[in-house]
Each structure stands twice: as C-alpha cells, then as structure tokens.
Amino acid sequence: MFGNVVYYDRNKINEYKSIIMRQRNLEIDEYEITNDKGAKLDLKAVGLDINATKAYKAKIQDSLLLNCDEFEKALNGRDDYFDFTTSSNYDITTMRRGTIIKFDGYFKIPEEFDLIQTIDRFKPMLIASMTTNNMEESEKEALREFLDSTNAKIPVLVDFEEQILCSKILSENLLVEYEALEEYEDLEVTILGRITSSNLISSSKAFYDPLKDFMTLNRAMRRGMGERAEGLNEIFVDVDYRTIEIVAIYQ
C-alpha cells in the first residue's frame, strides 16, 4: 500500500505487537551486513580469484506504512480484530471493549478545540505577560505547570456505521502540523483503533475536558477553578457515543 501517514502511535502499536507475537520487541538501531559472495581481485596482482567477505553497518530507515501493514497482517485471523475494509458483515455494536478495528472513514476535530489550540500557540507570550519580577520562582513554576500541554490530547470525532466514535489522539504522535489536519477532514482515511468503551456513553457526559486532557490539571485544581474561561469548557457530542483509542491514521 502507498499513502501518507497522518497519525502513528508507535508505543501502542509496539505494545500490541508484542502481545500478538508473545515476545518483547527489540529496538534495533542498525544492522551489520556481510557479503560472502566473493569479489574478484586484480588477477595480474595475485594470479587467482580470492573470496572476500565484505561487512558494513547500515542504519534502519523506519517506514510507518510498512509498520502498519505488518501490524495488520499480524492481526489477521484473531478473534479480537475486525477489518471493515475487506468485509461489511461485521456489526460494531456487538463488539466488546479491547477489540481492534480497521475501517475507512472521515474524522474531524471539534470546532470548540480551535480556541484551545490558539491559546496553546500563544502560551509563551501568555506566560511572559502573567509572570512578574515580584513573583516567587515557585509561583512561576506553578503557572508554567498549570499551562503545560506537553502531552496534550486532541479530540477526534468519527462518524462510522451510524455511530459516533470519540477519541483523543496525542499531539506528539501527529505526522502533520495541527493546521494541516483540516485538509484531511474532507478526505477518506484508513483508521486503526481499539474500542475502549463496553457500551454506549450518554451524550450528557463530556468526552473531552481541556483542563484534564490538554493542560493535565489534577482533580483538585480543576474543582477549585470555579467558572471556566471561554475556550476551556468541556466538549460534548449530540448523541450517545462509544470511545476508541486511535493508533494509526493514514490516507
């Protein structure tokens, strides 16, 4: 298969592959390659052919599409994997939590998240404007921790099989800039993910909380905030939904 990888969760895929293969993954940085086919030397100099062994080291060039292909092939035949791209006879409503599915579809980022992302882009200036020389270093550090989004999660909605699937992807695993994601919302992509909810979740329950999923504030800090500022409200969907953990998106 040929295409573009939009999102790839290396840690999760490696973890699931180790379960499938029943062995730990080895992280190989380079190979040592030998060639025993022999090479002809200058006959005038030595008068005969001499077999020579050539050895060299080669760095591995990672191929994410190949990784996806190998992972999917390893999943084939398992009773906890369903490939909707090859069969339409599956019913996602009957699938249990932990099942891995592959399907073609469309995803989108909720518009409410755009403001959160904008706040993040201007975060350095925001921190600089809020910190003063009179502040203790501990106070400055607390402010930086409050606005930290190093492991930020991005909300994703997928409309599939007449169900809404909600997910939170890690920004560090994106292979394109956040702004480029909008271009893919109009394109059909292949999604590989693991179902994480056993049943439908009520639409009255938010599936994304920027204070927990984006800024990673603990429960005590979230409860002590009082009224939330614009752009920091929880995100809901209009219908009951299921949640999935997306491990790869490619097109």
Side-chain angles (χ1 to χ4, degrees):
M1 58 183 179
F2 300 96
N4 299 314
V5 180
V6 180
Y7 180 83
Y8 185 84
D9 191 331
R10 186 185 307 276
N11 292 333
K12 287 297 182 181
I13 288 182
N14 285 343
E15 180 180 343
Y16 298 152
K17 281 179 65 177
S18 68
I19 294 175
I20 295 171
M21 308 304 293
R22 306 305 300 175
Q23 62 184 22
R24 300 183 186 278
N25 290 305
L26 297 177
E27 187 171 349
I28 303 173
D29 292 326
E30 61 182 27
Y31 287 113
E32 182 169 307
I33 303 173
T34 60
N35 180 3
D36 291 323
K37 293 182 178 180
K40 288 188 176 181
L41 301 180
D42 188 353
L43 297 182
K44 294 181 180 178
V46 297
L48 71 165
D49 290 347
I50 297 179
N51 288 331
T53 298
K54 295 181 178 179
Y56 60 93
K57 291 184 177 181
K59 287 284 186 180
I60 299 175
Q61 291 186 335
D62 201 11
S63 171
L64 300 185
L65 279 175
L66 178 60
N67 291 349
C68 289
D69 186 57
E70 290 178 341
F71 179 50
E72 292 164 15
K73 287 180 178 177
L75 285 165
N76 282 333
R78 293 180 59 91
D79 59 6
D80 53 4
Y81 171 64
F82 297 91
D83 185 352
F84 285 87
T85 66
T86 60
S87 176
S88 58
N89 296 325
Y90 302 134
D91 183 2
I92 191 173
T93 63
T94 64
M95 293 181 182
R96 65 183 186 272
R97 179 170 58 88
T99 300
I100 294 180
I101 57 175
K102 174 186 174 184
F103 60 94
D104 293 332
Y106 298 86
F107 74 90
K108 69 175 182 178
I109 311 297
E111 292 183 2
E112 299 95 317
F113 185 74
D114 288 341
L115 182 55
I116 301 172
Q117 183 67 21
T118 301
I119 293 173
D120 185 62
R121 290 186 68 99
F122 291 96
K123 182 177 62 179
M125 288 183 286
L126 182 63
I127 293 176
S129 65
M130 294 176 67
T131 56
T132 64
N133 294 331
N134 296 328
M135 291 180 65
E136 297 288 340
E137 188 59 37
S138 59
E139 294 176 316
K140 294 180 182 179
E141 182 60 32
L143 179 60
R144 284 190 289 265
E145 183 176 348
F146 175 78
L147 295 173
D148 179 41
S149 58
T150 304
N151 299 314
K153 297 176 183 177
I154 299 172
V156 173
L157 300 177
V158 182
D159 187 354
F160 177 67
E161 295 283 298
E162 298 183 351
Q163 280 197 5
I164 295 297
L165 304 178
C166 298
S167 186
K168 305 169 189 177
I169 60 176
L170 297 174
S171 56
E172 61 188 23
N173 293 328
L174 279 176
L175 278 302
V176 298
E177 295 294 331
Y178 173 79
E179 289 74 15
L181 285 177
E182 186 177 354
E183 301 175 11
Y184 285 91
E185 292 185 359
D186 297 325
L187 301 174
E188 187 177 54
V189 295
T190 299
I191 298 175
L192 195 61
R194 181 177 66 92
I195 298 175
T196 55
S197 62
S198 300
N199 303 299
L200 284 174
I201 300 173
S202 172
S203 60
S204 62
K205 182 177 180 179
F207 88 94
Y208 187 86
D209 184 348
L211 298 184
K212 178 178 67 175
D213 299 315
F214 192 78
M215 293 183 178
T216 61
L217 299 186
N218 60 42
R219 185 180 305 178
M221 294 183 69
R222 295 198 305 271
R223 288 177 174 175
M225 284 194 64
E227 186 176 353
R228 299 195 184 200
E230 183 181 0
L232 297 179
N233 293 318
E234 296 173 314
I235 298 178
F236 297 81
V237 290
D238 296 331
V239 297
D240 295 348
Y241 60 92
R242 294 190 76 177
T243 57
I244 62 170
E245 171 193 69
I246 294 178
V247 297
I249 303 174
Y250 56 88
Q251 188 272 331

